Amino acid sequence: MRPLFARYPFFEAAREAVRSADVDLGTLVNSADPAVDRAHERVKRALLEGTAASETPEEWTETQELLSYPIARILVSLVDSSAAVDKYAQAEAKTAIERLEADLAAGDDDLRSTDTDRLDRDRLLDELDLSAAVTPDRSHEGAGRQRGEVDTTRARESDQFWIDLGPYLKLTSAEWRPSWKLVNREVWDGRVRVQRTELNRLLREAIAQRVAEGLPFDGLSREDPIATALSDELSDIERLLSQRTTVEEIDFVARELFPPCIENLLQKAEAGTQLEPFESFSLMAFLTGIGMDPDEIVAFCADASLDPEGIRYQTEYLADDRGTQYPPPTCETLAAYGLCHNEDDHWTVAGDPLTYYKRQLDERGDSVTDWREANA
Amino acid sequence: MDDRTRRYLRGRFGDYYRRADVPLPPAANLREWGHIPWTAGSGTTMVRHQSQMDLGSLDDFLERTAPRHAYFSAARYRDPGASTMSDKGWTGADLVFDLDADHLPGVDPDAATYAEMLASCKEALFRLLSFLEEDFGFSEMEVVFSGGRGYHVHVRDPSVRSLDSAARGEIVDYVRGHGLDVDDVITTVSQAGTNQRVLKNDGGWGRRIHRALLELTADLQAADKSAAIDRLQSFDGIGSGRAETIYGAVTRNRAAIKAGNMEAGGPGIRLLVRTLAESVVDEQNAPIDEPVTTDVRRLIRLPGTLHGGSGLVVTSIDRDDLDAFEPLSDAIPNRFVGQEITIETAESRTVELNGDKTKIPQGVSTVPEYLGVFLMTRGEATKAPEPT
């Protein structure tokens, strides 16, 4: 096994190495192999600290490090939340890019060494099926060199690259800073120019997409033997997560199940009354929290006194960092502003609008249609 | 529309399709098909969610049904005939652009003639194609006269097919110049130890703005000094001091401007670029209809069919022929040329079609068939009985 695989376990060749090593993950898990502990740490650190690297790297062998990756994927699948998968994938990607940067820096200092097992950019691009899509741009370096001309004998990396339009658009997101917007980029002949650090950001996204592929595993249930063997690790992770977030991700819009405070705010806005800033924050935080994007909220509130620009500004701010939205205020805070009146004594079952709505969905969700389906 | 007119048009559309050879789009079996029939009443009901299997042979179907309007999906599906979108199994979609004379800035649909609107639309089409061909480097494109008020471009390069709606939105913003921020188009580069601001000019809007800047500086150099200073002072925020500095920079250090250097000429040059950027966007953007491009499940008119609101052919145009293309002559179906029919109009009007301006008096008149069909499909005339 190559040391490289332990550090970049999402590589196809690394996965192949696991397959051909003839290790059975079930057996590993049942025998409480150290790789399971490392997998546990891997997921925990990914979800809570945003890194897949170990806190104590010297404790693990390369094999344990490599095998922890497929076990971590099982654990993340069992957590069963798309936000967790997303966050886990982002953390794996961030760690991989940090390692790539270290490898590249070491490579620059140590050109002649042949016995190292480092990643270079070409190898990573190849792994991510981006070889043909990314070209170094040396037109601004030195004299006489033409744009797009590649000098493979040169070890030091180019500062700028051209990446094909399609991959650029698939790897960036409209939520990123305006400098990423296509309209603000140099685009020519189907390619977009990026700085080296920007390319790394794009590669990080490509790795995250690669890691997230196939997660959560189809057909894996908590009753499966491998899942029961991992139940301690799983409940530990879930306990830690529950201290962070109170409500599982919701992605369903059914106005008839909205809590009374939110329904009141909507009616008030629809009657043409301008909402107070706190009221509109509560409403937008709720609508964002149940999985609506700005466009949907604008459409949903089309009959209300809210102006679309304001909605977009507020909701983009609320959702600016994926997965860490600002939740709407609790029932108690809402009561202090006169928006919650503990209707039907609901404080006994839910202390905030999202939890209230989640309970309603759990009870009556089968009998209602997602507003987005109905208006598609 | 009265019964006689509708029956006539349906019959003649059928005659057109009996002779027409409507080419299938690529991957026709993976697309959804739709049409609007010649039904009575004002309502229009689209029949959609049909697969090629449901239609049978396209030529037979068109001949048999003689639809008022015919459409196919930009998208490809695993099961295009499924009745809900989620069951269809979307696998990708052509990237489609729609330029509609109704939405062109500076064109008043009430004042401009149909021919004038289409001419403005064609100018916008060339602007759009400059983005698609030069900036995006697309090669598999079909340019189509919609038969109505504008043009469509279907892009079928494999690299765009899988783009989602948000990614297509980025392309829309790009060609419209929406969200362009000059601060992001000017970058800071480190050269010989000093930081220098540079207008990014190897592509994108930066290249277009840079080109406008070079044109302006060439004009300034050609003019005498006082005229050049006056010209510079006509820009927002540029007073006599800044105008002098910019003038000095562009006349003495043209190479720096050519390289995109945004330090030569002081802060004034950056103010100038900011103002230029606005006019460059105004003049060069392509005012495409945004939802058509971002909707990855939309149905688009099928090239080769007739537009039921004009009787003109939805015409696919070779890129090399685009310059010479005259929609109001070249899209007239041959089937409707060479014979005359009798129509009735409630008011007199002048129609520009097939290179002629024809004055149609109020009441009953006999006109070339394509002209009669044009007016009847637009609801501006009805079919009158032919004299015996």
Side-chain angles (χ1 to χ4, degrees):
Chain A
M1 197 205 71
R2 295 178 56 185
L4 191 71
F5 297 162
R7 303 170 60 238
Y8 304 98
F10 53 88
F11 273 23
E12 189 49 44
R15 296 161 90 155
E16 186 51 44
V18 173
R19 278 192 289 271
S20 63
D22 204 24
V23 281
D24 176 58
L25 292 180
T27 315
L28 269 179
V29 168
N30 278 318
S31 64
D33 189 276
V36 177
D37 293 334
R38 172 64 188 115
H40 181 189
E41 187 205 19
R42 191 174 195 113
V43 175
K44 214 158 70 173
R45 299 244 303 158
L47 296 183
L48 301 179
E49 288 163 61
T51 175
S54 174
E55 204 168 7
T56 51
E58 66 288 350
E59 257 183 53
W60 317 100
T61 66
E62 276 165 357
T63 307
Q64 288 160 359
E65 186 68 28
L66 172 64
L67 291 173
S68 73
Y69 178 71
I71 301 171
R73 289 171 63 85
I74 296 172
L75 270 172
V76 171
S77 293
L78 289 167
V79 172
D80 192 24
S81 130
S82 62
V85 167
D86 199 50
K87 189 142 198 216
Y88 168 74
Q90 289 294 339
E92 286 282 359
K94 181 165 166 277
T95 301
I97 286 299
E98 284 163 5
R99 288 175 176 165
L100 169 74
E101 281 165 354
D103 278 0
L104 290 174
D108 273 352
D109 296 341
D110 184 19
L111 293 179
R112 289 172 197 289
S113 171
T114 50
D115 59 354
T116 47
D117 199 23
R118 292 197 195 103
L119 182 63
D120 59 37
R121 189 178 301 282
D122 287 347
R123 171 81 196 272
L124 179 63
L125 289 174
D126 193 38
E127 183 66 36
L128 297 169
D129 296 324
L130 289 170
S131 286
V134 175
T135 329
D137 168 25
R138 300 191 185 274
S139 62
H140 288 247
E141 298 165 26
R145 205 177 283 280
Q146 295 299 307
R147 172 201 296 175
E149 186 182 327
V150 189
D151 183 354
T152 48
T153 61
R154 261 180 83 143
R156 189 166 285 282
E157 278 218 301
S158 174
D159 286 332
Q160 305 197 62
F161 295 82
W162 291 92
I163 176 167
D164 286 357
L165 178 68
Y168 180 85
L169 290 173
K170 281 174 205 166
L171 295 173
T172 51
S173 155
E175 289 151 28
W176 294 7
R177 279 184 294 119
S179 64
W180 287 101
K181 268 192 82 60
L182 194 64
V183 73
N184 290 321
R185 312 297 305 197
E186 282 175 289
V187 184
W188 188 248
D189 199 20
R191 299 188 300 174
V192 184
R193 182 185 261 157
V194 292
Q195 305 297 315
R196 187 175 47 206
T197 50
E198 291 176 329
L199 178 64
N200 286 353
R201 179 67 189 89
L202 296 176
L203 294 179
R204 191 175 120 193
E205 193 58 33
I207 294 169
Q209 289 179 10
R210 162 71 60 90
V211 171
E213 234 170 65
L215 291 183
F217 290 131
D218 262 353
L220 179 68
S221 103
R222 291 187 175 223
E223 281 72 51
D224 290 345
I226 199 160
T228 46
L230 286 169
S231 61
D232 286 351
E233 288 78 8
L234 185 60
S235 48
D236 179 53
I237 291 165
E238 287 185 327
R239 183 181 57 78
L240 290 168
L241 283 180
S242 69
Q243 290 171 359
R244 281 288 180 105
T245 52
T246 47
V247 188
E248 303 167 46
E249 206 183 8
I250 302 172
D251 195 19
F252 199 92
V253 183
R255 180 164 174 178
E256 52 270 57
L257 304 183
F258 281 8
C261 55
I262 301 297
E263 180 57 35
N264 289 341
L265 288 175
L266 273 172
Q267 286 182 13
K268 191 169 166 184
E270 281 165 1
T273 312
Q274 289 297 324
L275 297 185
E276 297 295 324
F278 176 77
E279 295 176 322
S280 102
F281 168 80
S282 303
L283 179 59
M284 291 307 137
F286 176 80
L287 296 176
T288 307
I290 64 172
M292 296 177 85
D293 66 30
D295 285 341
E296 289 166 352
I297 296 178
V298 168
F300 189 77
C301 296
D303 299 331
S305 61
L306 304 151
D307 84 291
E309 270 316 297
I311 292 177
R312 281 180 202 285
Y313 177 79
Q314 199 159 30
T315 49
E316 272 153 27
Y317 160 74
L318 286 168
D320 74 343
D321 194 357
R322 38 202 312 165
T324 58
Q325 296 136 358
Y326 293 82
T330 60
C331 292
E332 212 176 305
T333 311
L334 289 164
Y337 282 87
L339 300 181
C340 178
H341 311 288
N342 193 18
E343 291 89 343
D344 304 323
D345 204 19
H346 69 253
W347 288 18
T348 55
V349 291
D352 69 86
L354 285 177
T355 306
Y356 178 100
Y357 180 63
K358 181 78 174 77
R359 298 271 155 118
Q360 291 284 312
L361 267 183
D362 289 345
E363 283 170 28
R364 296 168 52 202
D366 290 343
S367 60
V368 293
T369 314
D370 191 325
W371 171 86
R372 294 171 295 192
E373 285 279 309
N375 288 276
Chain B
M1 187 176 286
D2 64 304
D3 269 356
R4 187 207 307 271
T5 306
R6 190 175 56 250
R7 275 199 310 275
Y8 178 83
L9 289 173
R10 188 188 182 286
R12 291 302 284 158
F13 271 43
D15 293 340
Y16 167 83
Y17 286 118
R18 247 182 290 289
R19 294 267 186 84
D21 186 16
V22 178
L24 284 171
N29 58 325
L30 303 178
R31 299 187 190 259
E32 178 194 350
W33 298 78
H35 67 276
I36 295 177
W38 289 98
T39 38
S42 58
T44 47
T45 314
M46 175 153 5
V47 182
R48 61 182 297 183
H49 303 305
Q50 292 190 297
S51 69
Q52 206 189 1
M53 249 187 354
D54 299 324
L55 305 187
S57 137
L58 179 66
D59 284 336
D60 278 357
F61 168 80
L62 291 171
E63 200 178 313
R64 205 170 60 240
T65 321
R68 189 170 186 169
H69 303 278
Y71 306 89
F72 75 117
S73 64
R76 303 170 187 209
Y77 302 100
R78 272 191 299 278
D79 180 9
S83 59
T84 67
M85 283 300 165
S86 52
D87 286 345
K88 283 192 199 316
W90 189 89
T91 62
D94 303 341
L95 179 65
V96 178
F97 298 90
D98 175 27
L99 281 161
D100 191 323
D102 282 346
H103 298 128
L104 293 181
V107 175
D108 177 359
D110 296 327
T113 67
Y114 185 37
E116 286 164 351
M117 286 196 289
L118 285 176
S120 308
C121 216
K122 202 163 124 186
E123 287 168 19
L125 173 64
F126 278 111
R127 296 201 299 274
L128 172 65
L129 288 173
S130 127
F131 290 108
L132 304 187
E133 293 170 344
E134 295 172 14
D135 297 33
F136 298 152
F138 294 144
S139 55
E140 294 178 39
M141 286 190 280
E142 183 177 10
V143 179
V144 178
F145 168 57
S146 74
R149 294 167 167 276
Y151 291 88
H152 300 159
V153 181
H154 305 244
V155 180
R156 303 204 169 103
D157 289 48
S159 64
V160 301
R161 269 187 232 150
S162 58
L163 295 180
D164 64 11
S165 184
R168 289 165 201 247
E170 284 293 297
I171 289 180
V172 170
D173 284 349
Y174 186 94
V175 303
R176 302 209 57 171
H178 282 171
L180 178 71
D181 187 340
V182 174
D183 291 333
D184 283 320
V185 179
I186 293 174
T187 187
T188 305
V189 296
S190 184
Q191 220 147 34
T194 56
N195 282 341
Q196 195 181 74
R197 275 168 287 208
V198 172
L199 177 62
K200 298 191 273 185
N201 60 62
D202 276 341
W205 281 98
R207 176 181 142 270
R208 290 164 189 269
I209 296 165
H210 187 241
R211 222 165 35 185
L213 178 67
L214 290 183
E215 278 166 26
L216 174 67
T217 51
D219 288 353
L220 293 174
Q221 274 184 306
D224 66 51
K225 183 173 176 185
S226 69
I229 296 282
D230 283 351
R231 172 99 189 259
L232 282 168
Q233 284 186 256
S234 71
F235 288 95
D236 264 357
I238 296 179
S240 59
R242 279 178 174 158
E244 286 280 352
T245 320
I246 298 172
Y247 181 75
V250 302
T251 46
R252 279 193 303 275
N253 202 356
R254 195 166 149 75
I257 306 279
K258 208 168 173 191
N261 184 319
M262 289 286 106
E263 304 291 345
I269 193 92
R270 297 191 290 277
L271 271 172
L272 181 64
V273 161
R274 201 170 289 278
T275 314
L276 269 183
E278 279 172 35
S279 60
V280 167
V281 170
D282 281 349
E283 286 160 17
Q284 298 187 23
N285 90 89
I288 53 169
D289 189 13
E290 167 162 4
V292 176
T293 303
T294 53
D295 182 351
V296 296
R297 297 183 168 80
R298 204 164 183 100
L299 298 184
I300 316 288
R301 281 186 190 281
L302 179 64
T305 60
L306 294 177
H307 188 301
S310 68
L312 297 174
V313 180
V314 180
T315 310
S316 183
I317 312 158
D318 268 357
R319 181 64 179 85
D320 294 339
D321 300 338
L322 187 56
D323 217 10
F325 180 76
E326 293 288 348
L328 297 186
S329 311
D330 297 338
I332 293 174
N334 282 331
R335 198 79 174 96
F336 302 160
V337 177
Q339 57 277 346
E340 298 199 317
I341 59 167
T342 309
I343 57 165
E344 183 171 3
T345 62
E347 49 188 285
S348 71
R349 62 183 77 241
T350 304
V351 185
E352 227 179 314
L353 206 58
N354 209 14
D356 294 323
K357 271 191 184 167
T358 314
K359 189 155 169 39
I360 315 285
Q362 184 197 354
V364 175
S365 48
T366 299
V367 297
E369 185 177 24
Y370 60 83
L371 187 58
V373 169
F374 180 75
L375 290 174
M376 288 188 287
T377 48
R378 286 164 66 94
E380 292 171 349
T382 55
K383 185 73 186 73
E386 296 296 334
T388 46

